[in-house]
Structure formats: structure tokens, C-alpha cells
């Protein structure tokens, strides 16, 4: 199990962090930063996690197969996969909204997300993410959102949750990791 009940096996990199707000529930604060599971790297697994936005402008992500982090959060973005949470789909490089590679469910910048209905702000959504070998499959609320096949990606790594910026408050709960 990878519990959020106690954060004893979790570490923070960067200036952002998370606070417990209920049983098996955390909320992002500050940023940028990554809360990452330090106990052990994961190989092939299925990750289930519920998340919800507090504002339409919230931004966050779920990181997979990232290296162990020190104080710097950037190796997570450089060496792992990020499943995006951003209903606006902001592509900061091009200055556009609703970018398929930057909206909720996308593998950030690498695999576009299908234009699926996300539940409204304040309602819980669920990611069902499978990482098997070089393949990543993302389901959002039971619907296929994105897939990525990447032979250069690491075959193991840590799990992380993103605190994107001080204005974003994203909650996570019911995190489960099932080995494959």
C-alpha cells in the first residue's frame, strides 16, 4: 500500500507541499513542488487516485516513474511522466488554452488527452493509470484519456503528486497502487 493516511514514507521536493485535510486526503499548497513516495520505486503497476479542483484555474499532476528527489523538483519533469490536471489545458510555451497535450488526462507535453467530460469544480474525479513496461494508459472517470508508448522511459521510479503554484489547491484521496 501507498497510504496518504500518514505521510511518513513521503518526501517533499521544491517549495510547494501538501497538508492533510482528512482521512487519506491531502491538499496541495504553494509551489512548485512534488510530494513523492520515497519508500521504494515502483515497476509495473496500476494507480487509482481521486482528485478534485477547488477553482477552474487549478493546476496539478500525478508523476510516475520519477527519480528519487532531493530539494529540486525539476528531475521529476525531466525524467518521469506527468499525467496532467489542468482543465484549461494551458500550453505555456505557445500561450494557448485547450491544448490536447496539456489538458487534464494528457501525459504532459507528450500524449494528447481525448476531450472528455471532467466533473465540475468541487466534484471528485478519478484517474486509473496503468504503467506497464514502456506503455502508459490513462483513464479518467472510466474513459480512455491518453496512451503513450515510450521505449526510452525508465522502467521503474517513484510516484509523486504536484503542488503547481500558490494559487492552486488540488485535493487527492483514496490513492491505491496495485502491482501488475
Amino acid at each position: 500500500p501507498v497510504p496518504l493516511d500518514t505521510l511518513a514514507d513521503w518526501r517533499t521536493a521544491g517549495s510547494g507541499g501538501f497538508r492533510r485535510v482528512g482521512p487519506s486526503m491531502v491538499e496541495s499548497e504553494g509551489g512548485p513542488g512534488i510530494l513523492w513516495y520515497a519508500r521504494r520505486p515502483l515497476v509495473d503497476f496500476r494507480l487509482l487516485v481521486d482528485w478534485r479542483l477547488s477553482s477552474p484555474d487549478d493546476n496539478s499532476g500525478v508523476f510516475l516513474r520519477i527519480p528519487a528527489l532531493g530539494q529540486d523538483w525539476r528531475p521529476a519533469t525531466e525524467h518521469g511522466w506527468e499525467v496532467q490536471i489542468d482543465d484549461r489545458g494551458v500550453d505555456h510555451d505557445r500561450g494557448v488554452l485547450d491544448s490536447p497535450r496539456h489538458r487534464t488526462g494528457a501525459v504532459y507535453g507528450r500524449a494528447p488527452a481525448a476531450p472528455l467530460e471532467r466533473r465540475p469544480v468541487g466534484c471528485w474525479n478519478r484517474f486509473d493509470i496503468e504503467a506497464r513496461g514502456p506503455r502508459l494508459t490513462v483513464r479518467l472517470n472510466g474513459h480512455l484519456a491518453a496512451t503513450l508508448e515510450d521505449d526510452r522511459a525508465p522502467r521503474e521510479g517513484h510516484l509523486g503528486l504536484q503542488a503547481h503554484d500558490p494559487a492552486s489547491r488540488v485535493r487527492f484521496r483514496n490513492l491505491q497502487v496495485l502491482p501488475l
Side-chain angles (χ1 to χ4, degrees), residues 82-99:
E82 177 189 358
V83 177
Q84 178 70 351
I85 299 172
D86 179 2
D87 284 354
R88 298 168 302 149
V90 177
D91 180 340
H92 295 283
D93 294 334
R94 295 184 0 209
V96 298
L97 297 176
D98 201 30
S99 165

Side-chain angles (χ1 to χ4, degrees):
V2 180
L4 287 174
D5 289 332
T6 173
L7 297 179
D9 291 327
W10 295 79
R11 303 290 177 265
T12 302
S15 61
F18 283 80
R19 64 187 180 95
R20 291 202 46 218
V21 292
S24 293
M25 189 184 320
V26 295
E27 181 178 74
S28 65
E29 57 185 7
I34 304 283
L35 178 70
W36 62 282
Y37 186 67
R39 176 180 261 181
R40 69 181 184 285
L42 305 171
V43 183
D44 289 347
F45 60 93
R46 182 174 171 209
L47 168 68
L48 304 171
V49 64
D50 298 333
W51 56 270
R52 83 172 188 201
L53 304 175
S54 61
S55 160
D57 295 336
D58 283 347
N59 188 325
S60 187
V62 176
F63 281 82
L64 309 160
R65 293 186 173 163
I66 63 174
L69 302 173
Q71 278 302 107
D72 189 2
W73 57 271
R74 287 177 290 235
T77 63
E78 295 163 0
H79 302 291
W81 289 327
E82 177 189 358
V83 177
Q84 178 70 351
I85 299 172
D86 179 2
D87 284 354
R88 298 168 302 149
V90 177
D91 180 340
H92 295 283
D93 294 334
R94 295 184 0 209
V96 298
L97 297 176
D98 201 30
S99 165
R101 291 182 184 271
H102 298 87
R103 69 176 161 226
T104 298
V107 182
Y108 186 84
R110 304 188 62 207
L116 299 174
E117 291 294 319
R118 275 106 36 220
R119 295 184 180 130
V121 170
C123 295
W124 289 100
N125 291 274
R126 173 163 271 216
F127 276 147
D128 181 343
I129 303 167
E130 185 175 298
R132 185 186 301 261
R135 186 172 180 82
L136 184 67
T137 304
V138 179
R139 293 189 177 283
L140 172 62
N141 299 325
H143 301 280
L144 183 63
T147 59
L148 175 68
E149 185 93 19
D150 183 357
D151 288 326
R152 295 175 301 165
R155 294 296 195 267
E156 70 174 31
H158 297 273
L159 170 69
L161 303 175
Q162 183 184 44
H164 187 270
D165 62 82
S168 292
R169 299 267 184 218
V170 178
R171 289 190 176 188
F172 294 89
R173 71 174 187 188
N174 298 332
L175 190 143
Q176 300 171 53
V177 175
L178 310 167
L180 297 176

